[in-house]
Amino acid sequence: MTAQFTSSNPVQASLPDALKHYFGYDRFRLGQQSIIEAALADQDVLVIMPTGGGKSMCFQLPALLRKGVTMVVSPLIALMQDQVQALVDNGIGATFLNSSITGLEAQQRESSILNGDIKLLYVAPERLLSDRFTPFLNRLKATVGLAGFAIDEAHCVSEWGHDFRPEYRQLRNLRQRFPDTPVMALTATATERVRQDIVQQLALRSPVVHVASFNRQNLYYEVRPKSRNSYSELLDLMRQTDGSGIVYCLSRKKVDELAARLQQDGVAALPYHAGLSDRARSENQTRFIRDDVRVMVATIAFGMGINKPDVRFVAHYDLPRSLENYYQEAGRAGRDSEPARCTLFYGYGDSKTIEFLIAQKVDPATGEPLEEEQRIARQQLRQVLDYAESPHCRRTIQLSYFGERFDGNCGNCDNCINPKPVEDWTVEAQKFLSCVARCEQRFGMKHIIDVLRGSKDRKVLQRGHDRLSTYGIGKDRTADAWRTLGRSLLHQGLLEETTDGYPVLRLNAQSWAVMKGQQAVQVAVVPQQQDAPDLMSDRAKADVQMLLDLLRSLRKTLADAESVPPYVIFADSSLQLMARQQPQTLREFSRISGVGTYKRTKYGPRFVDTIRAFCEEQGIPLQDDGDEAVETSSPTPPSGKESGDRSALSRSYYATLELHQQALSPEEIAAQRGLSSRTIYDHLEKLIEAGEAIALDQLVPPEDQTAIWQAIDAVGDGSLRVIRDHVKEAYEYEPIRLVRAAWRNESKIDKTTDPF
Ligand code: ADP
Ligand code: ZN
């Protein structure tokens, strides 16, 4: 069943309306609308957006608004299945043809396509251009029509990209065979060279090129020093964050160990690495995608083809190999644009491990070191270290790596939120460097720190380093503090370290300048983590959390019944909104972002029931579903005061309005009309929200109004319980409901008429 777009001419109805109808979203993401407009005007388009930017929407919505079928080319079966599943779950006619289905199934699908039941057809490139497929394509074009081609992961056509696929090369024939059919190419690639290649290879005709920023605003980036506490920090992080996460480790062994340890500590985690059998890998992946487990501990083998949009955190337990790797791996978090956390645990020792691995890079034929490759790898590692140690905005550093300028102060990274205070550590640096000199530049960091702190370590005593003038002069600082200083000196080039696998500290000209007092040393010191203030009270938060858990488990039940991943039913963001706003009627429910017409009908009643049951249990007053007239009318309440607009609210409301205007109290109205006062309050609320002439002062004393109004300004109008909590329960629910209605009426934005 395909939900129909009700306007007879879809182009007349606005694009935002179509977006809400089919996908339930309230607004377009940056760039989407203009791309869609270009596609609807039959232009070629090249879309470059970072992962999670919402590329699919750019061809999916036009496909639904155009006559005929849109062919989508996609390289991986898993990606195809995911997208088709999500579309079908929105009641949209979509299907795929690939090697995973039988010949008979393929035939059935082809005939249903020719019947016009399908708007989006996903195929692998080799099939699209095969001789067997040509007659079908021609028939398709002659009958239902061919609206356009969408080439997903278009960077696969380029040998310069990291994912070159020879099959993609054949796509250049499309233009010759279907010269009039518009093409949209989409990719998340970052390099200019690949972009040019795409245009050329696919023979795009003066394409509209859209390059989105690579800034992933919703990702919070942080770097934490790796220490003995890192494991418990990781556990805390998992306990503080809801939802799924990925933890990347460098080696298979570490993956297995960490996964086992997390399991012991009660975290539902699974391992993923190239050492597991294909079956185990694909099973673990499915369990992760379906939310049967929360955490995937993985090597970088886990990534390509992971389309899970609701990954809430990605932690790197080991250093990534390059900043580009880090960007892509961390970027698997928050594809749904909801806040997500990217944590890098940075241990200086890890860089030694990677350096060791780099030194292993040799030509398998000759055994000679691959110097060029090693050099590049070392440079990439250096960039990762600089990133990790920098006191500057993490986002700025990442984006500058892609040649994009960003002016810092992103407000969503550790360095911007807790700027690292810079301290003058010149005296400490002098102590440290003299100690290196006294030890004759023959020892590594640990030994120097041991000497400074007056350690009785055997190695120190054996060398007689307890008799050095620098022995014990650094007792006032912790070993960690000295290490911070030591690394900072290295990174500022005020000290050198040998790189032959036995790191020894060496002095350079700058070191001597520091010791002679010719140069000051500033060090960024690591502050304590601090949480952003939150306006919600603990109790309200607990409520939201409780309801969220209920909604999650309902989602999981529904998903399991349909054998789909939970995010296909509703995205995390939609559940969060439901938990905060607690919509008690289908009408309110349909206002939640992510609830389109189809899903409202399919899932709405179950979710609304759960929310109502929760509210009842918590003593939050239930709202009437209202009369038929309200339930089925436009979701936007009428804003005008003219009688012409009145049809939207039923007569019963206006009977209440009339009595109110005769100065009767709600209780008196209830008595006179033989209705409950709850119903009357409900009427009043809706009348106020609709902008009818209700004398609010008669119902709620003005000073109470002010207090409640301010509370709503502070915590939003989502949940009555949250508002009441904010005013310390000084007011009952009824006045809060009435003031909220007035607040809503005032803040209502004039929307263009909604056709639904
Ligand atoms: P990409 O292919 O660019 O990585 P997707 O197309 O998978 O990204 O989209 C990422 C997520 O964003 C999906 O869950 C999608 O449903 C959602 N999304 C796309 N457009 C919008 C929008 N306008 N409003 C809200 N969510 C959107
Ligand atoms: Zn920042």
Side-chain angles (χ1 to χ4, degrees), residues 493-518:
L494 304 175
L495 178 67
E496 311 265 319
E497 188 175 51
T498 54
T499 54
D500 53 358
Y502 303 96
V504 166
L505 296 178
R506 296 263 167 82
L507 303 172
N508 62 17
Q510 295 217 61
S511 321
W512 290 106
V514 173
M515 283 187 276
K516 287 182 197 148
Q518 294 161 349

Side-chain angles (χ1 to χ4, degrees), residues 593-751:
S593 173
V595 179
T597 312
Y598 181 81
K599 286 191 179 174
R600 171 174 105 157
T601 315
K602 187 165 177 197
Y603 304 119
R606 293 285 298 272
F607 279 85
V608 168
D609 280 353
T610 301
I611 294 165
R612 289 178 72 89
F614 171 83
C615 289
E616 198 155 22
E617 215 159 78
Q618 298 300 310
I620 301 167
L622 287 184
Q623 227 163 302
D624 271 343
D625 263 355
D627 302 322
E628 271 302 293
V630 177
E631 188 55 51
T632 54
S633 71
S634 120
T636 337
S639 53
K641 292 180 179 62
E642 303 84 346
S643 56
D645 272 3
R646 287 193 157 193
S647 53
L649 292 181
S650 80
R651 280 233 211 88
S652 177
Y653 287 77
Y654 293 99
T656 298
L657 176 63
E658 258 180 60
L659 293 173
H660 164 79
Q661 286 170 343
Q662 292 164 23
L664 266 64
S665 74
E667 288 69 27
E668 287 167 333
I669 300 174
Q672 181 155 344
R673 297 201 55 203
L675 294 170
S676 72
S677 56
R678 203 180 90 191
T679 304
I680 301 302
Y681 272 105
D682 217 58
H683 288 177
L684 291 169
E685 185 184 350
K686 296 223 166 70
L687 288 162
I688 295 172
E689 205 170 329
E692 295 293 347
I694 297 282
L696 189 57
D697 290 357
Q698 258 180 50
L699 300 164
V700 185
E703 62 275 15
D704 296 3
Q705 285 179 40
T706 313
I708 297 170
W709 194 282
Q710 281 167 354
I712 303 174
D713 278 340
V715 298
D717 66 332
S719 154
L720 289 170
R721 162 63 80 87
V722 172
I723 299 167
R724 186 152 182 260
D725 236 75
H726 196 76
V727 293
K728 310 230 159 36
E729 303 191 341
Y731 310 101
E732 291 305 316
Y733 279 112
E734 285 78 12
I736 296 177
R737 280 170 67 179
L738 298 179
V739 175
R740 180 174 73 163
W743 189 94
R744 284 181 170 173
N745 178 49
E746 189 133 307
S747 62
K748 202 152 47 198
I749 318 157
D750 242 334
K751 281 217 214 151

Side-chain angles (χ1 to χ4, degrees), residues 5-18 65 753 755-756:
F5 193 63
T6 43
S7 166
S8 53
N9 180 355
V11 183
Q12 263 175 13
S14 75
L15 285 177
D17 292 339
L65 300 178
T753 31
F756 310 114

